[in-house]
Amino acid sequence: MGNPNQRLVTILGVGWLAFIGLGFGLRQMLSGPAVTVVIDRSYCDPSQWPRVTQAYANLYDQQQQRQLTIDQVIYVSDLGQEVATTIPTPDQVSGLNTFGRFSAEQLQQVSQTYPNARVLTCRGGNP
């Protein structure tokens, strides 16, 4: 039945592969749903911007607790949209400048592209 050392190495190799596969599978199952966050960067009264930053901080905390995964962050203004290269911290979002005019069309376009996105804006009842 072959060399005992070869069987041992084969058993250990298969065991480690199974262990790694199980770990990866559990990680995927336990890491909550993936969401896209859309942040409206059009001009916002400075007294209203903390509403947006607090809503983002809550999502970020949920990610830290593995309740969800922030897949990407998209900034939207009347000049277009920009996808963040990395997931920003709440402090980075808090430090953003707002500028330009509100563009309902831009928000609608992004919402259609990402139907499950969380849209954070100063306008109306959102965030």
Side-chain angles (χ1 to χ4, degrees), residues 39-52:
I39 299 176
D40 175 18
R41 285 195 61 187
S42 61
Y43 178 75
C44 181
D45 185 274
S47 67
Q48 295 296 316
W49 187 243
R51 289 179 48 210
V52 173

Side-chain angles (χ1 to χ4, degrees), residues 31-80:
S31 71
V35 298
T36 295
V37 178
V38 177
I39 299 176
D40 175 18
R41 285 195 61 187
S42 61
Y43 178 75
C44 181
D45 185 274
S47 67
Q48 295 296 316
W49 187 243
R51 289 179 48 210
V52 173
T53 60
Q54 183 59 50
Y56 180 77
N58 290 341
L59 291 172
Y60 192 85
D61 287 344
Q62 289 176 32
Q63 174 176 270
Q64 297 298 91
Q65 297 168 8
R66 298 192 186 270
Q67 296 171 349
L68 61 81
T69 300
I70 298 176
D71 193 33
Q72 62 183 339
V73 175
I74 302 172
Y75 303 113
V76 177
S77 72
D78 62 339
L79 301 176

Side-chain angles (χ1 to χ4, degrees), residues 22 49 52 68 89 93 126:
L22 180 64
W49 187 243
V52 173
L68 61 81
T89 64
V93 171
N126 286 337

